[in-house]
Amino acid sequence: MTRLFTTILSSLLLMGISHAQEAVTGSRLWDFEADPTGQTAIGFRPVVGTWEVIQDGQNRVLAQAARNADSVFNVILRPDVMYTDLDLSVRLKAVNGIVDQGGGLIWRAKNARTYYVARYNPLEDSFRVYKVVDGKRFQLGSVKAPGDTEWHVLRVTMKGNRITCVLDDKYRMEVEDNSIRGYGRIGLWSKSDAQSYFDNLTARGEALIPKPPEPVGETKEFEIRNERPFLGGHEVDLWGLRCGNAFVSDAVTERFVRNFDNMNAHGINMVGAFIQGVNAGHPDGNAGLNGFTRHGKLLPEVARRIEFLVREADKRGMVVMIGVMAPRKDQDFYAEEDMKNAIEEAGRFLNDKKLHNVFVNLCDEFNHPLYADKLLIREPDGPAKKQMMTQWFKAIAPNIEAGIGPHWKSGTLDYYSGMDVRIIQKAMPIPDKGFVVNAEPIREDYFNNDGIFNAANIEAVFTNCRNYLDAPNAVFMFHSGFVQGVTNYSGTAPHGEMGGYGTGPTDRGIRFYYEWVRDNVGRWEYPHHVPAAEFSTEPQGGR
């Protein structure tokens, strides 16, 4: 374990205020004496190689034991302290290696592929200094140093662009280089099959203690009480936006997240996004992403996008509806068992990641007359099938509310035993019982001319808004080709931004919906909507 000298640095660490990202002067020694053998040294991060503390006679040392290929650099870094100008030293001993032997010091490491390294190689009788930039190594200096397998002391000092490297106070190199500037991490290095021991790593100089990442915690819990939504224990009003294909790529997900603050400023505090992408519109309705494998495994890149979006929503006190399956993609599963796997996988992911500011739509448009291929999401026996799918999910994530949305003209019911959320769509009447979410109101713009609305379109939107404003048990997510489609006639969909007022090709957007919510509900400041300072002075829609 790390031994700290009595310095300003050690005082800061011992007082527990090293979270401040500020520079302090001090000295640190890592002698590994208190580290458990058979494990990586505490506080070090191995990148490549096998780095373990072992007993070497009376001392414990950090050993690199991997036998890697010729081009591989074995690297271990110390992530919690960074130096720019420094005095760095280590004891090292070459133990074994056919292709390479020995090793050395890393400093000013920006990451695992960009750093300076000074190394001793007894096979080559050489002592050299390099820069490694984006994984490519460039020699800066070299001197002859006779090779053996004894302990040696390697020391490096750097100030500005001037580097001095000394081996055993005997072999010396001085070089200048401007490639890697500023603060960087320190670490240890060997190459390919060089098995080496390291001890008494010592660093002196002005050190920066980087602020650690905030711990990943549990998000606020969404729940339903007496047909009303609650988030983090507070009763809330919800105004939503259907962002059906928000997970289609990292860039698209980020576009939606970057607009969350603007959504909040206009009162929007709920979004819906689907793991299996829904109707992507023009030119290909099936262009939405399928976030599962054919066996129902959640794709890692989609899982990353989901967590990013949900956690960013939680920071702002927002609720997210996660759609799991969609009829346009159900045929991508091999069998019903794979659909069960997908439902359980979604529940397990949300539960394990502690993402609770969510509810799920397990199947969008159940019994779709054209696109629902698998019997599991079709009539007959719809109520029993919906109940079974919900039970699959709730067995994994019992505290996350779930429901299944019907296709509005297929004759399947919008309620069933075991549902938490009563999901409807299009022009279905608002039920007077249950917590109701219209997950897909009628879309008033066309995918092949997205983001353009005439006066009748906008009036229909405002009528719908008013109906849901007057229904305390119901919420809806505004739906448009501008927000949901992929590519579309605009060529830039899906749009995470509100855009313009929708008056024509140079004014595509849904700003009128944002401003209606802001004017009639207020801006969102969790856990309440509050009156906004700004308001519309002419009819929404710019008409």
Side-chain angles (χ1 to χ4, degrees):
M1 188 181 295
T2 305
R3 178 187 297 169
L4 300 178
F5 290 111
T6 306
T7 62
I8 297 174
L9 174 59
S10 63
S11 299
L12 284 172
L13 292 171
L14 292 172
M15 287 189 294
I17 59 174
S18 61
H19 287 192
Q21 187 161 324
E22 58 183 49
V24 293
T25 301
S27 177
R28 296 187 74 177
L29 167 69
W30 293 271
D31 61 12
F32 312 114
E33 291 302 320
D35 288 299
T37 59
Q39 301 178 22
T40 298
I42 295 172
F44 285 79
R45 183 180 300 172
V47 178
V48 179
T50 302
W51 298 86
E52 293 181 348
V53 174
I54 66 168
Q55 194 74 34
D56 180 45
Q58 299 299 312
N59 296 324
R60 291 189 180 184
V61 300
L62 182 59
Q64 198 300 110
R67 298 176 182 269
N68 285 316
D70 184 24
S71 60
V72 174
F73 301 153
N74 303 302
V75 171
I76 189 169
L77 297 174
R78 185 77 198 189
D80 62 346
V81 60
M82 303 176 75
Y83 295 88
T84 175
D85 295 343
L86 83 168
D87 185 339
L88 186 65
S89 65
V90 72
R91 295 179 67 235
L92 67 94
K93 178 169 73 170
V95 177
N96 210 339
I98 297 174
V99 178
D100 268 278
Q101 288 185 9
L105 290 165
I106 286 174
W107 69 99
R108 287 196 185 178
K110 302 300 183 181
N111 51 52
R113 292 169 55 82
T114 298
Y115 51 83
Y116 289 110
V117 56
R119 66 93 175 122
Y120 167 61
N121 186 338
L123 277 183
E124 298 178 358
D125 293 335
S126 66
F127 177 40
R128 291 177 179 172
V129 59
Y130 298 90
K131 64 180 178 183
V132 179
V133 179
D134 295 332
K136 298 178 181 179
R137 187 172 61 158
F138 304 90
Q139 182 175 305
L140 300 177
S142 178
V143 295
K144 196 78 170 174
D148 58 45
T149 56
E150 302 299 321
W151 281 100
H152 297 271
V153 176
L154 194 162
R155 181 181 177 188
V156 170
T157 60
M158 186 167 188
K159 186 172 184 179
N161 69 344
R162 189 169 184 81
I163 302 169
T164 301
C165 306
V166 180
L167 182 67
D168 295 330
D169 289 328
K170 188 174 182 181
Y171 305 100
R172 183 183 185 92
M173 292 179 289
E174 292 187 0
V175 300
E176 293 184 357
D177 187 75
N178 291 299
S179 301
I180 306 173
R181 298 181 294 278
Y183 286 94
R185 295 170 177 86
I186 60 172
L188 301 170
W189 184 97
S190 78
K191 183 173 175 286
S192 63
D193 66 340
Q195 297 180 308
S196 306
Y197 294 169
F198 299 85
D199 196 12
N200 289 359
L201 174 63
T202 305
R204 303 177 182 86
E206 185 179 77
L208 184 72
I209 310 301
K211 183 179 180 180
E214 295 182 5
V216 175
E218 187 171 1
T219 68
K220 302 174 189 67
E221 184 172 359
F222 174 76
E223 54 187 329
I224 300 163
R225 305 180 194 171
N226 300 320
E227 302 182 344
R228 286 285 296 158
F230 283 73
L231 183 63
H234 297 279
E235 185 173 4
V236 294
D237 290 319
L238 297 176
W239 285 87
L241 195 62
R242 180 179 170 95
C243 310
N245 291 301
F247 299 137
V248 71
S249 71
D250 287 346
V252 167
T253 303
E254 184 175 352
R255 285 176 66 186
F256 280 99
V257 167
R258 298 308 174 208
N259 194 43
F260 279 175
D261 289 335
N262 186 47
M263 291 182 191
N264 293 171
H266 289 82
I268 297 168
N269 59 350
M270 179 176 69
V271 295
F274 291 77
I275 300 174
Q276 283 198 322
V278 289
N279 188 356
H282 174 82
D284 179 8
N286 296 314
L289 175 73
N290 179 13
F292 295 107
T293 69
R294 301 206 74 172
H295 290 295
K297 180 73 174 176
L298 183 62
L299 297 175
E301 62 270 24
V302 178
R304 181 181 68 245
R305 294 166 200 159
I306 294 171
E307 184 173 8
F308 172 50
L309 184 141
V310 172
R311 290 197 179 279
E312 289 296 320
D314 179 65
K315 292 176 183 178
R316 298 157 173 86
M318 298 173 69
V319 174
V320 180
M321 184 193 82
I322 298 293
V324 179
M325 295 190 300
R328 286 179 178 268
K329 301 294 180 183
D330 68 298
Q331 64 271 18
D332 290 350
F333 295 117
Y334 282 120
E336 181 177 306
E337 182 64 24
D338 303 311
M339 301 171 79
K340 180 176 186 286
N341 290 340
I343 290 172
E344 292 177 338
E345 180 92 347
R348 189 174 298 108
F349 171 75
L350 295 173
N351 212 44
D352 290 350
K353 292 295 184 177
K354 302 180 181 180
L355 305 176
H356 296 154
N357 57 319
V358 301
F359 65 94
V360 295
N361 181 355
L362 292 172
C363 179
D364 194 50
E365 295 190 315
F366 183 94
N367 203 41
H368 195 294
L370 296 177
Y371 299 113
D373 293 344
K374 292 290 191 290
L375 291 178
L376 179 63
I377 61 171
R378 294 185 64 88
E379 296 288 356
D381 303 321
K385 292 175 179 177
K386 295 172 190 175
Q387 183 180 15
M388 180 173 64
M389 286 189 284
T390 302
Q391 288 172 344
W392 291 341
F393 180 83
K394 299 290 279 189
I396 303 295
N399 297 319
I400 296 178
E401 276 69 6
I404 291 176
H407 185 276
W408 69 311
K409 288 187 175 181
S410 70
T412 192
L413 298 175
D414 66 287
Y415 60 91
Y416 61 93
S417 177
M419 72 179 186
D420 301 307
V421 184
R422 190 168 183 174
I423 299 173
I424 63 174
Q425 70 160 182
K426 307 296 187 187
M428 295 174 68
I430 301 174
D432 58 4
K433 293 187 181 298
F435 172 68
V436 180
V437 176
N438 191 329
E440 187 181 354
I442 289 177
R443 176 173 39 81
E444 298 290 343
D445 64 337
Y446 297 99
F447 283 120
N448 60 352
N449 203 13
D450 55 309
I452 296 180
F453 302 80
N454 61 34
N457 297 141
I458 293 179
E459 185 57 36
V461 171
F462 292 162
T463 298
N464 214 12
C465 288
R466 181 61 61 182
N467 289 339
Y468 279 87
L469 182 64
D470 293 340
N473 69 316
V475 300
F476 86 127
M477 290 184 289
F478 177 76
H479 176 38
S480 70
F482 182 78
V483 177
Q484 178 169 298
V486 178
T487 305
N488 282 349
Y489 191 79
S490 67
T492 53
H495 298 95
E497 313 81 11
M498 64 182 176
Y501 286 100
T503 60
T506 61
D507 189 39
R508 297 178 190 272
I510 58 169
R511 187 180 296 260
F512 57 87
Y513 170 66
Y514 278 67
E515 292 190 353
W516 191 97
V517 178
R518 181 197 65 193
D519 290 355
N520 291 275
V521 182
R523 63 179 290 120
W524 177 244
E525 296 179 5
Y526 174 79
H528 304 293
H529 285 90
V530 298
E534 295 185 3
F535 58 92
S536 301
T537 57
E538 58 183 58
Q540 284 98 346
R543 303 176 195 279

